[in-house]
Amino acid sequence: MTDGSTDALTASTGARDALTRLRSEVAKAVVGQDAAGTGVLVGLLCRGHVLIEGVRGVAKTLLVRTLAAALDLRTTRIQFTADLMPGDVTGSLIYDAATSRFEFREGPVFTNLLLADEINRTPPKTQSALLEAMEERQVSVEGTPRPLPDPFCVIATQNPVEYEGTYPLPEAQLDRFVVKVTMPLPDRETEVRVLAAHAAGFDPHDLAAAGVAAVASAADLRAAAAAVRQVHAEPAVLGYIVELAQATRRAPATSLGVSPRGATALLATARAWAWLSGREFVTPDDVQVLARPTFRHRIQIRPEAELEGMTADAVLESVLATVPVPR
């Protein structure tokens, strides 16, 4: 093995150890949402963006803030509202009277982790201001492209219950999110643990007092992302991913199935899960574990099927049960 290969292996192992500690660190503040935390981490490893859906009060914002603190990354929060303008997100040119010139003032999008809180409460014009940032990792103002920091990730939240005064995300923007993570209401035991933590003095606004410390860095995240791209996938596994995507397009309940971009996203998330699990190759089990969070927001249900209670997750359950698994 060459010195370069040895250094890459050492960096990969160190990054995996750091990100494994990260999951434990997040659990100090966010109780009972380990699956959501892992889903967000998988999105970061894919250098993608994450959509978090859950009713109010299930710690969506706290999860992102804790993750940023444990990663020692710069984070910015935007509360999306109906009157938010594109320039409020990307930044704008401001006239400087002292120099008689227009100077660019960076918007909150110039950060590492952008928390787009209740993203579906802002009009499509403002939502679309994020499209270039999410896809190209840059912002163009007056024709001048301005690169965003590395790493850069949008973690958006939305409430699945309150639809009054909201603007559902268009399919083109939904497709930019590598995973959609759901945060359910806690069971009784978990909710008792949450209340016990607050009774003991836990303050969600003071993460340091809760013992949350930086256990990984941007360098660890970059090393991990590079290692994930080296994870091997056999042709049979690639074929399995394609067959799952095509099955969603043929499902009677769907008007829109998973696109080739969605299939590519599933390959990326399955690679990330395999790497986190300590393997250098993807198995069909990895694909099955990540199929739901990677595909659920890319499936559009026919109105008549929706009236009968059909959901994207139900379609995926059927697809996963019927598409043959490679041996």
Side-chain angles (χ1 to χ4, degrees):
M1 184 178 289
T2 64
D3 290 342
S5 299
T6 303
D7 291 343
L9 180 59
T10 301
S12 173
T13 303
R16 184 187 289 115
D17 292 342
L19 293 177
T20 300
R21 293 195 299 273
L22 175 72
R23 296 160 75 180
S24 301
E25 204 69 15
V26 170
K28 291 180 179 179
V30 184
V31 179
Q33 297 287 2
D34 295 343
T38 300
V40 175
L41 179 56
V42 165
L44 289 172
L45 291 177
C46 298
R47 293 178 60 83
H49 310 286
V50 180
L51 180 62
I52 304 177
E53 186 174 88
V55 299
R56 62 187 184 278
V58 292
K60 299 187 296 294
T61 303
L62 179 62
L63 172 63
V64 180
R65 289 181 53 246
T66 307
L67 188 68
L71 268 173
D72 195 21
L73 293 178
R74 181 185 172 195
T75 182
T76 306
R77 176 179 178 269
I78 304 176
Q79 181 64 52
F80 278 77
T81 57
D83 59 350
L84 197 72
M85 299 298 291
D88 297 330
V89 176
T90 61
S92 56
L93 293 175
I94 305 296
Y95 183 72
D96 188 341
T99 61
S100 299
R101 296 175 57 186
F102 283 94
E103 302 288 342
F104 178 69
R105 182 173 296 173
E106 293 184 349
V109 74
F110 287 85
T111 187
N112 295 126
L113 290 185
L114 176 66
L115 173 57
D117 224 348
E118 295 190 286
I119 191 173
N120 57 334
R121 290 202 172 275
T122 201
K125 184 177 181 179
T126 305
Q127 290 176 5
S128 66
L130 281 177
L131 281 176
E132 181 186 14
M134 294 171 70
E135 187 67 20
E136 306 293 338
R137 285 177 165 75
Q138 68 177 26
V139 168
S140 295
V141 177
E142 295 296 326
T144 302
R146 303 173 190 275
L148 295 173
D150 181 32
F152 171 72
C153 175
V154 174
I155 304 180
T157 71
Q158 64 178 16
N159 188 325
V161 177
E162 297 177 357
Y163 286 112
E164 185 176 350
T166 64
Y167 304 83
L169 295 178
E171 297 300 326
Q173 188 159 357
L174 280 173
D175 214 28
R176 291 326 195 265
F177 291 99
V178 68
V179 291
K180 177 182 176 182
V181 175
T182 58
M183 293 184 68
L185 287 166
D187 57 26
R188 182 184 183 281
E189 180 181 348
T190 302
E191 196 162 1
V192 167
R193 288 167 56 201
V194 171
L195 293 182
H198 281 265
F202 171 69
D203 181 359
H205 301 291
D206 188 359
L207 296 176
V212 177
V215 295
S217 65
D220 291 321
L221 200 57
R222 283 191 286 268
V228 165
R229 290 193 293 271
Q230 300 303 314
V231 173
H232 179 69
E234 291 285 344
V237 172
L238 300 180
Y240 182 49
I241 292 173
V242 170
E243 287 161 12
L244 289 175
Q246 291 183 342
T248 66
R249 302 168 202 163
R250 296 191 300 265
T254 64
S255 59
L256 182 67
V258 175
S259 69
R261 178 186 289 162
T264 302
L266 181 53
L267 172 61
T269 56
R271 276 174 152 177
W273 181 252
W275 181 82
L276 279 173
S277 302
R279 283 180 281 103
E280 303 302 321
F281 58 91
V282 179
T283 68
D285 286 344
D286 299 326
V287 174
Q288 291 177 339
V289 168
L290 272 301
R292 296 171 186 82
T294 309
F295 278 179
R296 61 165 57 106
H297 56 298
R298 306 173 196 272
I299 294 175
Q300 189 170 325
I301 304 297
R302 295 183 184 278
E304 57 271 23
E306 204 166 17
L307 288 173
E308 295 174 359
M310 182 59 70
T311 63
D313 277 8
V315 169
L316 287 171
E317 291 294 338
S318 175
V319 165
L320 289 168
T322 55
V323 173
V325 181
R327 301 296 179 189

